[in-house]
Amino acid sequence: MTYNRIKTVDVAVVGGGPAGLSACIELARHTGIKVALFESETELGGIPRSCHVFFGMRDLGRIYSGPRYAKKLDRLVRKTPTDIHTSATVTRIVPARDGSLHALDVATEEGLIRCECRCILIATGCFERSRESRRIPGSRPAGIFTTGSLQQVANLQHGKPGNRALIIGSEHVSLSAAMTLSKAGTKISAMVSEDRQVQTYPLAAKVIRTVFGFPLFRGVRIRAICGKKRVEGVVLECRETAERFEIACDTIVCTGKFRPDAALIHHTTIREDGASLGPEVDMNYMTSEPGIYAAGNVLRGADMHDICALEGRQATINILAHLRSGRPGNDRIVRIRALDPLRYAVPQKLLGHGSGNWKTSFRTPGVSAQVRRTMKKVALEAWSGGNQIWSKDYSRLIANSRIVIPVEKFNWDRVDFSEEIVIKIASDAP
């Protein structure tokens, strides 16, 4: 393969969102380390560039709007010696073999370049499932968006997506979609959810529905999208009674159901976690390939952006240790796995000395999990072999939201290191 240019750095960061930018800023505190950042968009900042409020509390110590948060990180990283490449799409990761360097193939406006490096941080984020991936039947008219594409049209291009919109989903991001539609001058016909319980905080959902004046239909699914050139409406079906009814709208917004943007690890030796669909990592954020790390929403789908930024920072600590002495020496590693209706546990590998590795707090990322659906009055338990090593009662677990697993509170004296640790729901009372 012919490259227009070959460059060599210590660390290559893939992704210019909160995790990637925070990692570059942290690495710049250490002189003598050459860092290159590759971002496929024309601007840095990631998803927050087109979002609303509540960004930056954990990592920057104050609340920003999405655009201001993105600009703040942009300004900070541009003050560093980081070699920044925008409109630069990484097309392939080539893990090191036999003492060679890791390599990235990057498509840029100048042509294809190769970047060779000692360490890679994958921070490519996540994306929402589209109408096609949700297998929603019906025609293919104009007027169908994800939250991300909606926010780009409304907040970045200052356009009006339509006159009346239907929101599919009831996650946190669904409320953000409602605010974006209202700001753009689009009325909301309804919000619909397949689940009986909303997948966000009930009070927040009630406030948004009251302020913007739209109904919420729970326990329904879309049976058809009507319209040829443009959306004209949807046919909904009650899951319990099979009763059908139609709602008129010219715009549909598919929200939530995030999954990691982890295509770069496909067809490589970097191991993918079948539950999270992102790269499998240990507590140092290192993947199955020594020197290749991953942080942020590429690990599990959507989470708060300040948590992603903190993960980017935390990953740099381990990257620096790797640059100094090679692969960190972990004395014992034990795997952790979540059982349905939990979606995943991330990281998937814990360092065996347990309680000394991470202390759960507001400003530490830690081990986390999510549930597939909102649940009330349940208990989470951790088991190793036949031993229960931790449990906690919850009045409510919100679907697709971070549940912190305080591994430092596990009874590590009862852990069987020849077995995996299993996280499960003790009682299921939806």
Side-chain angles (χ1 to χ4, degrees), residues 275 335-339 342 344-345 347-348 420-424:
R335 300 183 68 83
I336 185 168
R337 181 169 62 95
L339 300 184
L342 292 167
Y344 63 75
Q348 294 85 2
E420 63 186 4
I421 293 174
V422 173
I423 309 294
K424 65 179 184 178

Side-chain angles (χ1 to χ4, degrees), residues 164-185:
R164 297 192 67 86
L166 177 83
I167 300 173
I168 301 174
S170 62
E171 300 181 29
H172 302 327
V173 71
S174 310
L175 306 186
S176 178
M179 291 188 287
T180 300
L181 288 165
S182 179
K183 180 181 176 182

